[in-house]
């Protein structure tokens, strides 16, 4: 069990994956500035083959703005797309394609799914998606997986857009997807009426069947590189980290770790969490091994520090 008070952990090495804090993406010795930030902004970013794609959204209260920035590793902004609605981008496993959904040109237009070249920003494909509010949740090879956004308790559809031949298929039923590992696995809601408000499962797109299903733990997201999923076990009042391939629990977060959210796994297998808590809701990065030994991987950032809060790739840290 991982049960730590992050304020008492020793300071270890900086993360071995990119991370965002103080208005820049820290990538080893490089600092890549993110444009268009305000103190109220929220930042989501993901790695591409040539740098990063960054979604900047603002604000929780008042006028809302959205932008997707394609940025090279040297800080050069390749392209910026601003629209009334620009959703969080997803990246193909090879890092060469980036996809998102955006609002149509007029109120009568449905939303469109867009795929661009990550290196140049050139639009590769665009397709109108005629559902109420489609969300791109990830790639499976050359296929963009989209979710039809509806109430959790209602049936929804899984949409699969094959970018190469521009075909769109739809699976009706209760299979709302929430993420992919980029290659073959799709995390999805399988039974909204299951125990505890629903069941989640891992679909194996290559084999066309569920790899596993869990009605006790509600896994909500992949770790950034697709190795694990993290979720809430409401029956036991705890957070768990599951192996994405088998569904087996590999780590349990104790009460003192309840403010830690898994976002990434380092190359040597260490888990990286964004940790927040306390009366001031300070935020830091925590590194833990599966043996429960932990250390801080960043300085502690106070809640009232200027600018967006620190985060790891693949996490929309609000």
């Amino acid at each position: 069990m991982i049960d730590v008070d992050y304020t008492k952990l020793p300071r270890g090495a900086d993360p071995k994956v990119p991370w965002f804090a103080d208005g820049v993406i820290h990538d080893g010795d490089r600092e890549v500035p993110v444009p268009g930030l305000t103190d109220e902004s929220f930042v989501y970013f993901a790695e591409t083959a040539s740098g990063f794609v960054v979604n900047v959204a603002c604000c929780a209260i008042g006028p809302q703005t959205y932008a997707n920035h394609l940025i090279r590793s040297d800080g050069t902004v390749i392209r910026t797309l601003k629209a009334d609605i620009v959703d969080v981008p997803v990246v193909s496993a090879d890092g060469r394609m980036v996809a998102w959904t955006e609002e149509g040109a007029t109120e009568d237009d449905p939303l469109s799914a867009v795929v661009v070249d990550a290196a140049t920003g050139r639009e590769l494909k665009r397709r109108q998606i005629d559902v109420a509010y489609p969300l791109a949740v990830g790639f499976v090879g050359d296929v963009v997986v989209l979710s039809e956004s509806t109430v959790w308790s209602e049936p929804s559809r899984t949409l699969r857009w094959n970018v190469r031949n521009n075909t769109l298929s739809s699976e009706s039923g209760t299979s709302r997807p929430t993420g992919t590992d980029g290659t073959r696995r799709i995390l999805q809601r399988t039974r909204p009426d299951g125990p505890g408000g629903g069941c989640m499962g891992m679909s194996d797109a290559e084999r066309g069947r569920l790899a596993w299903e869990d009605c006790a733990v509600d896994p909500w997201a992949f770790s950034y590189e697709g190795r694990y999923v993290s979720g809430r076990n409401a029956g036991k009042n705890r957070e768990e980290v599951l192996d994405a391939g088998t569904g087996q629990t590999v780590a349990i977060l104790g009460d003192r770790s309840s403010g830690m959210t898994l976002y990434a796994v380092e190359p040597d297998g260490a888990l990286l969490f964004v940790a927040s808590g306390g009366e001031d809701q300070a935020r830091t990065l925590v590194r833990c091994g599966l043996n429960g030994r932990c250390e801080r991987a960043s300085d502690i950032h106070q809640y009232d520090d200027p600018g967006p809060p620190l985060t790891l790739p693949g996490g929309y840290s609000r």
Side-chain angles (χ1 to χ4, degrees):
M1 176 180 287
I2 296 172
D3 194 20
V4 297
D5 178 352
Y6 73 80
T7 64
K8 298 179 180 179
L9 291 177
R11 176 67 155 91
D14 286 346
K16 300 178 180 64
V17 299
W19 55 292
F20 170 87
D22 306 316
V24 301
I25 296 172
H26 301 267
D27 184 16
D29 295 332
R30 291 179 296 198
E31 294 185 351
V32 182
V34 174
L37 298 179
T38 71
D39 288 351
E40 290 77 32
S41 294
F42 303 116
V43 171
Y44 171 101
F45 76 100
E47 283 187 275
T48 69
S50 53
F52 303 95
V53 58
V54 187
N55 177 273
V56 177
C58 180
C59 300
I61 300 175
Q64 294 187 332
T65 59
Y66 307 85
N68 278 341
H69 305 284
L70 281 170
I71 307 174
R72 290 197 181 98
S73 297
D74 63 4
T76 302
V77 178
I78 303 168
R79 178 185 178 187
T80 294
L81 177 79
K82 297 181 179 180
D84 290 336
I85 297 178
V86 179
D87 272 317
V88 172
V90 295
V91 182
S92 61
D94 62 8
R96 298 181 182 276
M97 294 187 292
V98 178
W100 60 72
T101 56
E102 63 183 62
E103 194 173 59
T106 70
E107 292 183 359
D108 296 329
D109 289 345
L111 272 71
S112 296
V114 181
V115 175
V116 302
D117 184 294
T120 66
R122 180 174 62 92
E123 189 171 300
L124 301 176
K125 288 285 173 60
R126 174 181 292 265
R127 183 176 182 121
Q128 290 185 339
I129 308 295
D130 193 16
V131 300
Y133 190 47
L135 300 172
V137 300
F139 278 84
V140 173
D142 294 335
V143 173
V144 180
V145 179
L146 302 107
S147 169
E148 178 183 22
S149 181
T150 60
V151 178
W152 277 110
S153 60
E154 296 179 356
S156 63
R157 284 179 286 176
T158 296
L159 307 173
R160 303 190 190 201
W161 177 31
N162 189 310
V163 177
R164 297 303 178 189
N165 57 28
N166 202 25
T167 57
L168 184 70
S169 61
S170 172
E171 300 173 11
S172 61
T174 56
S175 58
R176 174 199 302 273
T178 62
T180 77
D181 68 352
T183 55
R184 59 187 288 181
R185 299 188 183 113
I186 304 173
L187 181 65
Q188 56 192 159
R189 178 76 59 180
T190 55
R191 290 187 282 159
D193 58 349
C199 300
M200 295 294 290
M202 191 67 69
S203 174
D204 188 322
E206 189 173 281
R207 298 182 179 180
R209 60 177 177 82
L210 277 179
W212 54 266
E213 184 182 55
D214 197 315
C215 296
V217 180
D218 188 6
W220 59 272
F222 278 93
S223 57
Y224 177 63
E225 73 311 307
R227 184 171 176 178
Y228 299 114
V229 292
S230 55
R232 178 77 178 164
N233 187 327
K236 296 184 178 179
N237 192 31
R238 68 191 192 192
E239 305 292 325
E240 298 186 18
V241 179
L242 280 62
D243 184 290
T246 65
Q248 297 298 307
T249 297
V250 298
I252 297 170
L253 304 189
D255 291 341
R256 289 181 297 180
S257 304
S258 60
M260 292 182 4
T261 305
L262 172 69
Y263 283 149
V265 179
E266 292 185 309
D268 62 0
L271 308 176
L272 273 177
F273 300 87
V274 173
S276 61
E279 293 183 1
D280 58 358
Q281 287 297 300
R283 191 178 296 251
T284 190
L285 298 179
V286 172
R287 172 187 295 113
C288 293
L290 295 182
N291 58 7
R293 294 179 182 176
C294 302
E295 63 185 12
R296 281 193 296 110
S298 77
D299 295 335
I300 295 176
H301 293 245
Q302 301 303 320
Y303 179 77
D304 56 359
D305 286 348
L310 91 168
T311 190
L312 286 163
Y316 215 147
S317 189
R318 299 200 173 195

